[in-house]
Amino acid sequence: MDDFTSLRRNMVDCQLRTYDITDRAALAAADSVPREAFVPGNLSHLAYLDQSIPLPGTGRALMTPMVAVRMIQLLDPQPGEAALEYAGGSGYGAALMANMGAKATLWEPDNAARALAESALSRAGAGNVTITAAQPAAASFDAILVSGACEIVPETLFPLLRPEGRLIVVEGLGRAARVMLYLKSSEIVSGRPVFDAAAPVISEFRRPAAFVF
C-alpha cells in the first residue's frame, strides 16, 4: 500500500465515517478516487487533510473532503443519472459522482481551473467526465453539486434541473454558512437546510456590493 493509498483510507475511516457519512457508494468512491491527482503536485501533501485547498492560478478551491462527500451523499446521484458539478475547480466532485455510476459533467467557467481539471481527471482515470465551459441546456441534470459557498441563492442554476432533480450548495459565509438541499417538483424549487458547513466562496455568486452613502 503506497503512502497516498494509506492516507486515503485514513481519510475515509477517520474523517468521513465520523461525519455522518454512511452511504457505501460515496465511501467507496472516496476510497478509490485519488484526491492527490486534483491538486498541483507541490500541494499533494495537503490532499487528505481536513481543510479546503486553494488551487493556485485559478479562482477556485477544493472543499474539505468531509463537506464535499457529505454533500454528495445527500445529493444521492444514482447510476445512470446525469450529474453536474458547478465551479468544481479540478473536478474532484465530478470524479466522485462518476465513480458512483452517474453520467458526470463538470461545468467550469474559470479557464485556468478547467485546464487543471482536464489534466487532473486524466491522471485520476476519470476520462468519462465531460468538461464544459459553456452553460448546459435547461433541464439537463438530475443532480447538481455546487462546489463552493454562495452568498446569494444560486437561482440561475435551477433551470438546469430536470423534474424531481436535486441541487446542493453551501449558502453563506463563515459561521453563518449552511448546506442547502433544493428539490424541483414540477416547476417549483424548494430548499431546506441539511447541515452547517463552510466552504470557499464562488465569485459568480458573491453578494453585489451595496452602495454606501
Side-chain angles (χ1 to χ4, degrees), residues 37-108:
F38 295 88
V39 296
N42 62 330
L43 298 178
S44 60
H45 62 287
L46 303 176
Y48 294 101
L49 297 183
D50 177 23
Q51 64 181 56
S52 58
I53 305 175
L55 300 174
T58 78
R60 306 297 191 216
L62 292 184
M63 296 188 292
T64 66
M66 292 194 304
V67 172
V69 179
R70 189 170 176 186
M71 288 173 71
I72 289 172
Q73 172 178 262
L74 287 162
L75 191 61
D76 193 26
Q78 295 296 304
E81 284 192 325
L84 174 71
E85 182 182 23
Y86 174 74
S90 53
Y92 179 64
L96 290 173
M97 293 190 290
N99 185 277
M100 295 170 70
K103 298 175 182 177
T105 297
L106 171 66
W107 176 19
E108 181 48 84

Side-chain angles (χ1 to χ4, degrees), residues 5-191:
T5 301
S6 177
L7 290 170
R8 188 159 55 253
R9 180 62 53 81
N10 186 69
M11 176 192 74
V12 170
D13 290 340
C14 300
Q15 295 180 39
L16 305 188
R17 293 183 187 276
T18 63
Y19 196 54
D20 293 331
I21 299 170
T22 58
D23 181 77
R24 291 184 178 181
L27 289 170
D31 195 32
S32 60
V33 174
R35 186 173 163 87
E36 71 274 10
F38 295 88
V39 296
N42 62 330
L43 298 178
S44 60
H45 62 287
L46 303 176
Y48 294 101
L49 297 183
D50 177 23
Q51 64 181 56
S52 58
I53 305 175
L55 300 174
T58 78
R60 306 297 191 216
L62 292 184
M63 296 188 292
T64 66
M66 292 194 304
V67 172
V69 179
R70 189 170 176 186
M71 288 173 71
I72 289 172
Q73 172 178 262
L74 287 162
L75 191 61
D76 193 26
Q78 295 296 304
E81 284 192 325
L84 174 71
E85 182 182 23
Y86 174 74
S90 53
Y92 179 64
L96 290 173
M97 293 190 290
N99 185 277
M100 295 170 70
K103 298 175 182 177
T105 297
L106 171 66
W107 176 19
E108 181 48 84
D110 184 292
N111 291 334
R114 195 168 59 256
L116 183 62
E118 290 173 354
S119 59
L121 289 163
S122 176
R123 288 196 304 273
N128 54 339
V129 173
T130 300
I131 306 172
T132 183
Q135 179 170 329
S140 295
F141 299 101
D142 302 291
I144 297 177
L145 170 68
V146 183
S147 285
C150 298
E151 292 185 280
I152 58 176
V153 177
E155 294 179 341
T156 55
L157 299 178
F158 291 168
L160 302 181
L161 287 171
R162 293 173 175 170
E164 310 306 320
R166 297 92 63 199
L167 179 149
I168 198 162
V169 59
V170 178
E171 289 185 4
L173 302 178
R175 294 183 178 180
R178 58 185 180 176
V179 175
M180 295 288 296
L181 178 64
Y182 289 92
L183 303 176
K184 184 174 185 178
S185 179
S186 185
E187 292 304 312
I188 298 174
V189 178
S190 58

